[in-house]
Amino acid sequence: MSGTVRNQRTLKQSVVLEGVGLHQGLPARATIYPAQSDTGIVFVREDLGGKTVRAHVGNVSSTKSVLSTVLSENDAEVQTVEHIMAAATGLYLDNMIISLSGPEMPILDGSAINFIKAFRQAGIVEQSSPARLLAITRPVSFIHGNKEIHAEPSSQFEVNYEIDFFGKLVQDFSFRLTKHRFQQEIAPSKTFCFASDVEKMQAAGMAKGGSFENALVYGEEGLLNPHAQTFENEFVRHKILDFLGDMRLAGAPIIGKFTVKRGGHAFHTRFLSHLISENLLAEIEHEPVYQESSMELALHWA
Ligand SMILES: [Zn+2]
């Protein structure tokens, strides 16, 4: 296989993002620092004396990762990590320390676009070591009830995602990862919920930081807050954002062709654990199609 190896990347300087946590509703500040080669992505709980939680699927809390992805390690927990993980994938960032003031990432506007803006504001630097890249080695189907993920080898990350909520909210979208396409087509898509679930979630201590500004809310008659919507099929685009973020918990970006039907955080991360335990991922040394066209680079990195 011919191709070049990309070098690892991190931020040029630190950047701070402040807001509220989607589920716990607490003020949330994330300070994102550059990190040495081979650090990976590591969360730090400032409020717990600097306990660290590595962004890895082995740390996913399987019982809690339903509405958001929750990681726990060293007696510390971090919640709603999926959107910053997706942004890291989208900008090919390999190493950073995400220092949190509390248990949850700030939800910001419910999408990944503010992480992208913050990373670009901080600047991105190339490091001296080659980046790791994982590839799907053979076709696999992972099915549980009506949820399905099918994967096969590919020279890039591509996904077709399908959602079907009650036969009413049905969308599908295909996406192939490049920095340009991620920023344009996926990063601005907001998280969403159903009006009928809001009371139940809040009674269970979740979605306390949710609002009409940071989540699309779908009611009996359709979307209740169209002013917050960017794309007509934003729900499925956000599912792709979540899938990208969850798959980044492999510890490195993955290439492969994925077909996902009715997935969610718990199912995505169970699938990723399956890929690892069944040896369906292999580290590759050459990236067959990873370089973007020079036009895209000129447009977005000038
Ligand atoms: Zn999400």
Side-chain angles (χ1 to χ4, degrees), residues 36 49 85 90 107 162 175 179 184 224 230 239 248 251 286:
Q36 306 253 316
M85 294 304 293
I107 188 65
E162 205 177 283
F175 173 72
K179 287 192 204 87
Q184 297 292 319
L224 299 183
T230 306
K239 281 290 191 178
R248 184 63 182 75
H286 296 286

Side-chain angles (χ1 to χ4, degrees), residues 23-24 68-71 77-82 103-105:
H23 291 295
Q24 305 206 11
S68 69
T69 300
V70 181
L71 302 173
E77 197 171 273
V78 290
Q79 188 170 358
T80 319
V81 301
E82 58 270 19
E104 193 171 7
M105 282 294 299

Side-chain angles (χ1 to χ4, degrees), residues 127-261:
Q127 300 173 288
S128 51
S129 316
R132 293 180 62 220
L133 180 66
L134 299 167
I136 297 281
T137 53
R138 56 183 196 274
V140 55
S141 289
F142 191 70
I143 300 170
H144 187 78
N146 68 353
K147 298 178 190 298
E148 298 178 21
I149 304 181
H150 306 275
E152 57 185 275
S154 170
S155 59
Q156 55 199 327
F157 179 95
E158 39 186 335
V159 58
N160 173 268
Y161 209 114
E162 205 177 283
I163 58 171
D164 180 349
F165 292 99
F166 329 111
K168 265 177 83 177
L169 180 58
V170 181
Q171 298 181 342
D172 81 282
F173 192 62
S174 290
F175 173 72
R176 177 177 62 82
L177 180 65
T178 70
K179 287 192 204 87
H180 171 57
R181 290 194 64 182
F182 180 76
Q183 289 174 64
Q184 297 292 319
E185 300 176 17
I186 300 297
S189 59
K190 286 187 169 67
T191 191
F192 60 89
C193 67
F194 295 91
S196 53
D197 291 336
V198 169
E199 246 176 62
K200 272 182 274 173
M201 287 193 293
Q202 292 187 338
M206 291 180 286
K208 288 177 170 174
S211 74
F212 277 146
E213 307 311 314
N214 63 24
L216 300 178
V217 185
Y218 198 83
E220 295 271 306
E221 309 294 323
L223 187 60
L224 299 183
N225 56 337
H227 72 273
Q229 188 179 29
T230 306
F231 305 107
E232 175 264 322
N233 58 353
E234 189 155 340
F235 294 75
V236 71
R237 289 179 193 241
H238 188 82
K239 281 290 191 178
I240 290 177
L241 194 165
D242 284 342
F243 183 65
L244 268 167
D246 288 336
M247 295 300 282
R248 184 63 182 75
L249 295 171
I254 294 179
I255 53 174
K257 182 177 182 181
F258 302 90
T259 306
V260 189
K261 296 180 182 178

Side-chain angles (χ1 to χ4, degrees), residues 54-116:
R54 284 169 305 131
H56 192 272
V57 68
N59 291 333
V60 169
S61 167
S62 54
T63 51
K64 294 184 177 171
S65 298
V66 177
L67 297 172
S68 69
T69 300
V70 181
L71 302 173
S72 63
E73 189 179 24
N74 300 318
D75 292 323
E77 197 171 273
V78 290
Q79 188 170 358
T80 319
V81 301
E82 58 270 19
H83 302 162
I84 196 167
M85 294 304 293
T89 312
L91 289 192
Y92 309 141
L93 278 164
D94 302 283
N95 304 302
M96 55 188 179
I97 307 282
I98 303 167
S99 188
L100 290 177
S101 61
E104 193 171 7
M105 282 294 299
I107 188 65
L108 307 173
D109 77 343
S111 79
I113 199 70
N114 290 297
F115 295 117
I116 295 290

